[in-house]
Each structure stands twice: as C-alpha cells, then as structure tokens.
Amino acid sequence: MNIINNESIDEKLYYEKQSAGLDIYVIPKKGYSLYYGIMAVNYGSNDNEFLIPGSDKSLKVPDGIAHFLEHKMFDKKEGNLLQDYGALGSTPNAYTNATTTAYLFTTTADIKKNVELLFRNVHEPYFTDESIDREKEIIGQEIKMYQDNPSWKVYFNLLDCMYIKHPVKKEIAGSYYSISEISKELLYECYDTFYRPSNLVFLLVGDVEPEEIIGFADENIKRYEKGKKEKPLRIYPHEPAKLNKKHAEEKMEISRPLFAMGFKDIDIGFTGDLLLQKEIETEILLEGMFGKSSPIFKELYDKGLINNSFGSDFMSEKDYGYSIVSGESKEPETVSKIIEDYIKRDGINILSKKRFETIKKKLIGHFLASFNSNEFIGSNFISYKMKGINLFDYMDTVERIEYNDIENRFLNHITEDVKAMSIIYPN
C-alpha cells in the first residue's frame, strides 16, 4: 500500500493497485459522518469505436450506448439495485460524460454493505430484450427534453461549430435513431470491453481505516476478475485544428437570445501535470478576462448587454479542449464584437498582474475550503484521475504558475481563427 501525504493541505491519500489492475484509493476524513464511495469506468460517449478484445477487428457502436449501459447497470435478475441502496438508507447516483461512466453513493452508515453493493452495481450486468425496449422509451423522452432545452442546444451547436470529426460534438445520450440500434448483444460487447478491473477506479472518502477498506475492496473485485487485465483499445478519428464552421443560429421558444462563444484548443496531446497546469492557466485567464471584476464584464453589464448569467468555462481532455463564454443578451453579435475589440486592442493586458495574483489566491482559498466536502473531494479526484492528474497536486501547481504563463496561454488559445459563435434567438 502506498501513502501520499500532502502537508500543505493536511490530507493523506492511500492507494493500492489490485492484482487484476483495479486502482483502489482511500482518503480518510476523521470526524466526518458522511461517506462518499465511487467506482468510475474509463469509458464515455466518445468511445464509440474500439478493437474487440482478443481480436484485431474493430467495432463501431451506436451513439449514446455508454449512457444507455449506465442506466441498465442498476437492473439485476432479482430486481433494481436502487431498492437495495434505499434499504440501506444510502443515496445512489450515476453519470456518463464524454470520457467517464461513474457509479456512486453517499451514506452515513453500513459502509461495507454499500461498498459491496457498489461492486455488484458495476460487475453484474443483466440485460433482457424487454427491459432494453422499455429503456429506449425512457431515454427517448430524455433526449426530447434535452432537444427542447435552449441552454443544451446552444452548447452542442457550438461544439458542432468547433469540431469536424471528434465524437465530443455528439450528444451523450445519442439520438432517437442511434438508441433504436442498441441491442442486448451490443451492450454486453461494450460491457466486456470496458468494464474490466484495469479500466476501473474505486475511491472511498470518509472516516474509515484505509487498510481495512482497501482489503475489503480487494476481496470484492476478486469475485469479478475473470482474467480481464488488458486495457481497451479505442479508435478516434483525426480531428483537424481548424473549425468546422464559425457560426450557428437557431430559433426556439425563449424570451431572450442565448449565446455561447467558443475557442477551440489546439494545444493538446498530453495528460498529467502538463494538462493540470494548462487547465489552471486557462481558468485564471478566463476569470481575468471575463470574470465579474474584469473590464469586459463591466462594460457589457453597464451597457445592458449581459446579465449575471454571463460566465466562462474550460473543458479539456488529452485529445481535445475548448473555452466557452456564454450568457443571455439582447444583442449577442454586439457582445461578440466588443469582446473581439478588447482582445485585439488590449491583449493580455485585460488581466493586470495585480488581478492575476488576486485570482491565484482566490483559487487556493476555494480549493482549501472545498476539502470540507467529501463529495467535492470524491467527484474532483475521479475527474482528475481520469486525466492522469492527482487532485493533491492542484495547489502546488497554482502556486508555481507565473504571469508570463498566462500571457503565453492567451497568445496560443484566445485567437480569432479558433473562435466560433452559437446563438439561439426567440421565435
């Protein structure tokens, strides 16, 4: 068992790689009554083409199948596991995003029973033709709900502007047509390919003895090993650096236009410490340029062009990344023009060195305060782990970033040739 002790945040991380490849992590939180357990699969909506294990043949599966599989993993021959979680007084949940599927619980008691249930949740697939047909109706309604959501549409229309081939542009739940092609056989094929110990991470955060939990997790996974030690081999299309298109517009039943401006990241191809530094640099840059204390926000707000919905975000993985500036505006094209003028005229000087230091301190303060939440620790640890990043390295990385790093990031990322705009207008 390995122990990582981070004295700057006064936290310890216990880790062991189980014999079949499962990564087991425990973060003890003495005196905390809430336990947070999560098992994450390195498998998301992007992974729709892969090599069949033990073969040189590739398989392309319908869009949305990772999300569909997540829904079906709660069904067992004896019934639905949500009832078992409820009987223990715990709160289960699950999610699928572009790169990860995760199953989790929070509880205040019966920790070992919940851990055992979580392992069953992830390792005992049970699919029938009848239950799959029922699920298609449920997910079909979910897809319709997203299609009728203007915030969702403006976001995915922007991704379609930025990306030509990369599957990140496709909706996580798929489409009516794609889910209609999902079968029991395809679900088992995806399960057997990706739900294997070497492609999983287990984490528990709470007031526990790490050695005991690691041993218990090891006992549980041994029931499901079945020799699946090799990692899945995924196939992704080559994504050009250029945009798919610069602009997208749509009309929906809304009272005020929505916009999302995106900057496609072309500085990609790495994980771990380099990716963490890039994420934090971009977070500082976006806060400096578009945060509520920035000159851009002040001018736009004073002119009545934006409201408090205005904000920015950065999303990154090894093979793609993008920054988004979004909000409501009666004149979204004017907002875009003002931002463009600021960038051309002031460049990185939009962010002063004094505000740079203030933002760094703010990030560190928020990070330290967040360690009072086991849910924050658990969800962010997993999110970073899937990118080869250790959450415990966050604060040290923030502290070593200098102003010239932000300047270089600005010059490489906030450029007109990778900027796209998506707008939803009222009907």
Side-chain angles (χ1 to χ4, degrees), residues 1 8 45 57 165 199 219 269 309 324 350 357 360 378 422:
M1 182 175 66
S8 61
S45 60
K57 294 181 179 179
K165 295 183 178 181
N199 203 44
E219 290 174 15
S309 69
I324 292 183
I350 297 170
E357 294 295 343
K360 280 182 61 173
S422 167

Side-chain angles (χ1 to χ4, degrees), residues 99-297:
T99 61
T100 304
T101 307
Y103 304 82
L104 59 102
F105 67 82
T106 55
T107 189
T108 58
D110 294 320
I111 185 60
K112 285 190 174 180
K113 289 182 180 178
N114 278 280
V115 169
E116 192 170 22
L117 196 55
L118 183 62
F119 273 77
R120 280 193 63 207
N121 201 161
V122 176
H123 291 95
E124 296 180 10
Y126 178 71
F127 313 131
T128 66
D129 293 328
E130 294 77 14
S131 70
I132 289 170
D133 287 341
R134 288 195 302 269
E135 197 64 43
K136 288 178 181 179
E137 294 183 13
I138 294 170
I139 293 180
Q141 293 172 1
E142 185 178 337
I143 291 170
K144 184 179 186 306
M145 178 184 71
Y146 284 126
Q147 290 296 318
D148 293 338
N149 185 323
S151 297
W152 188 262
K153 288 292 290 182
V154 76
Y155 174 69
F156 272 94
N157 287 353
L158 177 63
L159 291 184
D160 184 57
C161 286
M162 290 191 288
Y163 290 93
I164 299 171
K165 295 183 178 181
H166 199 286
V168 71
K169 68 187 288 182
K170 298 181 178 180
E171 298 203 20
I172 292 167
S175 65
Y176 293 112
Y177 174 75
S178 68
I179 65 170
S180 71
E181 296 186 308
I182 293 174
S183 65
K184 178 174 65 177
E185 291 74 23
L186 283 176
L187 286 175
Y188 277 117
E189 192 72 67
C190 290
Y191 177 86
D192 288 338
T193 298
F194 293 100
Y195 282 61
R196 48 185 60 214
S198 60
N199 203 44
L200 300 175
V201 178
F202 169 73
L203 168 70
L204 185 68
V205 185
D207 191 353
V208 295
E209 293 298 329
E211 296 89 346
E212 184 179 0
I213 294 299
I214 287 174
F216 188 69
D218 185 52
E219 290 174 15
N220 274 271
I221 194 62
K222 283 179 179 176
R223 286 185 268 165
Y224 304 107
E225 284 182 15
K226 300 177 183 177
K228 299 179 180 179
K229 293 187 178 182
E230 66 274 19
K231 287 184 176 289
L233 295 174
R234 309 147 208 268
I235 300 171
Y236 298 128
H238 171 70
E239 173 64 33
K242 66 180 182 179
L243 296 173
N244 184 29
K245 54 187 176 181
K246 291 283 288 183
H247 195 86
E249 291 182 11
E250 190 170 340
K251 290 187 176 182
M252 297 182 72
E253 293 295 331
I254 55 175
S255 59
R256 188 178 176 93
L258 295 176
F259 71 91
M261 176 190 301
F263 295 89
K264 183 177 182 177
D265 195 0
I266 58 174
D267 183 23
I268 57 175
F270 46 87
T271 59
D273 293 343
L274 291 175
L275 182 56
L276 176 59
Q277 177 152 340
K278 182 180 76 169
E279 286 194 3
I280 298 171
E281 288 173 359
T282 312
E283 187 176 359
I284 293 171
L285 176 62
L286 294 177
E287 176 63 23
M289 292 183 66
F290 306 111
K292 289 182 168 54
S293 298
S294 69
I296 288 178
F297 182 92

Side-chain angles (χ1 to χ4, degrees), residues 267 274 276-285 348 351 353 356-357 360 396-414:
D267 183 23
L274 291 175
L276 176 59
Q277 177 152 340
K278 182 180 76 169
E279 286 194 3
I280 298 171
E281 288 173 359
T282 312
E283 187 176 359
I284 293 171
L285 176 62
I348 189 59
L351 172 60
K353 292 184 178 180
F356 161 71
E357 294 295 343
K360 280 182 61 173
D396 291 339
T397 305
V398 174
E399 289 178 337
R400 71 168 175 262
I401 290 174
E402 298 180 353
Y403 184 82
N404 68 306
D405 295 319
I406 310 302
E407 185 174 16
N408 290 332
R409 181 65 178 142
F410 171 83
L411 294 171
N412 293 331
H413 182 45
I414 308 298

Side-chain angles (χ1 to χ4, degrees), residues 13-14 23-27 36-40 105 118 201-205 377-379 381-382:
L13 172 67
Y14 293 75
D23 288 324
I24 304 172
Y25 293 92
V26 177
I27 300 176
Y36 180 98
I38 184 167
M39 186 169 290
F105 67 82
L118 183 62
V201 178
F202 169 73
L203 168 70
L204 185 68
V205 185
I377 296 170
S379 61
F381 182 90
I382 289 297

